[in-house]
Amino acid sequence: MTLLIANAEQELNAKRERMNMRWYPHYHLAARAGWMNDPNGLVWFDGWFHAFYQHHPYSTQWGPMHWGHARSRDLLHWEHLPVALAPEGPEDKDGCFSGSAVVNGDELALVYTGHKYHGDPASDDNLYQVQCLATSKDGIGFTRHGQVIDTPAGLHHFRDPKVWREGETWYMVVGARVGDTGQVRLYRSDDLHHWEDAGLLAEAQEGMGFMWECPDFFTLNGKQVLMFSPQGMEARGYDNRNLFQSGYLVGQWQPGEAFSQQSAFQEMDHGHDFYAPQSFLTPDGRRIVIGWMAMWESPLPEQQDGWAGMLTLPRELTLTADNRLQMRPARELESLRRSWQNWPVNTLKNKALRVMDECETTEVILEWDLSASNAEQFGIALEEGMRLYVDAQAQRLVLERHYPQLGLCGQRSVPLPQSTTLSLRVFFDSSSVEVFVNDGEACLSSRIYPESRKLDIFAWSGEAVLKKCGAWHLE
């Protein structure tokens, strides 16, 4: 173990003892202590799911990036492992930025961005980002191989490699910025060590952002999906309300050919907190995605408790015939269910009803009969801080949080589905809520910070009808 990794481990062990756990998640992955952002290197290797992540072990603020590391048999119960990468070489002296992991024979290979300044770090003119390689036989200790792709001439922002294999050839997409235009660049290799420039895969058109971070490229339903996080998209009505977005384009691609785009950019998650998603394949062939459940330049109240940031629940991806990406909770989540509490509610009219005194590790199931409901607003409320409700006048499902003392207030929403039933699966953890609408039609993920956890169900200015309602208590 290198000195920098040993120092990070010592720091994490000391900080863990002093953490306030009031908002620390029970069944989401978070760092042992300190800062966490983007998920990296999601992969199945040697009988384990591995999740790496951007990590600053020395404080709850973003800082020189390390790679945190955890593994799991079931995507739910995570075992923390030693820090995998620390910024200790000339190629990554200012940070080991985001990247990916692949299995190459009996080795686990990490491909990541080395972040460095040649001179004053206050100027991007001195910034250089290169792609680096590290490998491991046991999936725990890594041998560094240094830089494998240099910064292209004229570029400074060039990061977040995602690697996959087509036949005998390795491919890599990397996010880039040229002037104020975001790009995804393509590379290929026979051995992960020597890479050849394969040209431009995709580029932002007007209004599509100045930098495309965390690209991912994969096949679903016979088509190719380019998933990425564009910076610099302006809000339009209900769309693009967060500082930065995460979404996708759908098209067709074959090695040696251009990517033929067949859909407009679509956001993946419409909550307050979802960024930098990365996908991987399970041994049974499912495409799973996990994102960072936070948002840049948003208050993170848990920083005062000794930690910051968490990852979303794992979600299974499918692609519809009309090129819409759908996300459903990974089926493994059902194994967390313990006891079912049925709520004896069928009709609500101009009232609120207490249904739970302690809603913390809970999966709420709701099926609203939209055709029989005429209330102007109806839904659920976690005390004064969070509401999830139908706005019948706007014809939208709204996720609202209201924590003015923490600087976190606002709404995110999606259109109501065309069907007569609104089916919701709502996952609560200590400081998060994730809403899955009509079996994958939409998702909303947000951080919440309740002082108490009493849950009400309500309908105002009219009547609302439920076909099913209740909650699973989760392990």
Side-chain angles (χ1 to χ4, degrees), residues 104 107 133 135 145 147-149 189-195:
N104 184 23
E107 285 188 335
L133 175 68
T135 59
H145 301 280
Q147 172 185 309
V148 293
I149 300 179
S189 171
D190 294 327
D191 60 4
L192 295 177
H193 291 262
H194 306 90
W195 291 88

Side-chain angles (χ1 to χ4, degrees), residues 40-200:
N40 300 151
L42 305 178
V43 71
W44 171 264
F45 173 71
D46 197 25
W48 294 88
F49 293 105
H50 290 259
F52 302 84
Y53 51 87
Q54 292 287 276
H55 185 31
H56 189 224
Y58 296 97
S59 84
T60 60
Q61 306 292 325
W62 186 92
M65 285 292 97
H66 297 53
W67 272 39
H69 185 194
R71 68 181 181 182
S72 172
R73 297 286 193 188
D74 61 3
L75 291 171
L76 302 172
H77 302 87
W78 292 95
E79 173 193 355
H80 288 283
L81 296 172
V83 168
L85 297 172
E88 54 192 341
E91 68 280 352
D92 60 16
K93 65 184 181 67
D94 297 307
C96 300
F97 274 23
S98 296
S100 55
V102 291
V103 178
N104 184 23
D106 62 351
E107 285 188 335
L108 180 60
L110 308 183
V111 184
Y112 68 97
T113 294
H115 181 73
K116 58 181 179 173
Y117 288 94
H118 296 173
D120 182 4
S123 172
D124 273 5
D125 291 341
N126 298 320
L127 169 65
Y128 293 90
Q129 295 182 326
V130 300
Q131 312 317 318
C132 304
L133 175 68
T135 59
S136 174
K137 293 290 189 182
D138 64 3
I140 298 174
F142 289 85
T143 301
R144 298 158 57 93
H145 301 280
Q147 172 185 309
V148 293
I149 300 179
D150 199 358
T151 315
L155 291 193
H156 294 282
H157 293 271
F158 173 64
R159 57 182 175 268
D160 311 336
K162 179 62 185 280
V163 177
W164 77 98
R165 194 168 197 161
E166 299 266 351
E168 297 301 311
T169 303
W170 294 101
Y171 288 88
M172 176 198 299
V173 285
V174 185
R177 176 178 181 174
V178 177
D180 284 328
T181 301
Q183 292 182 339
V184 173
R185 297 191 166 211
L186 183 66
Y187 295 82
R188 59 176 170 245
S189 171
D190 294 327
D191 60 4
L192 295 177
H193 291 262
H194 306 90
W195 291 88
E196 173 189 351
D197 188 343
L200 191 63

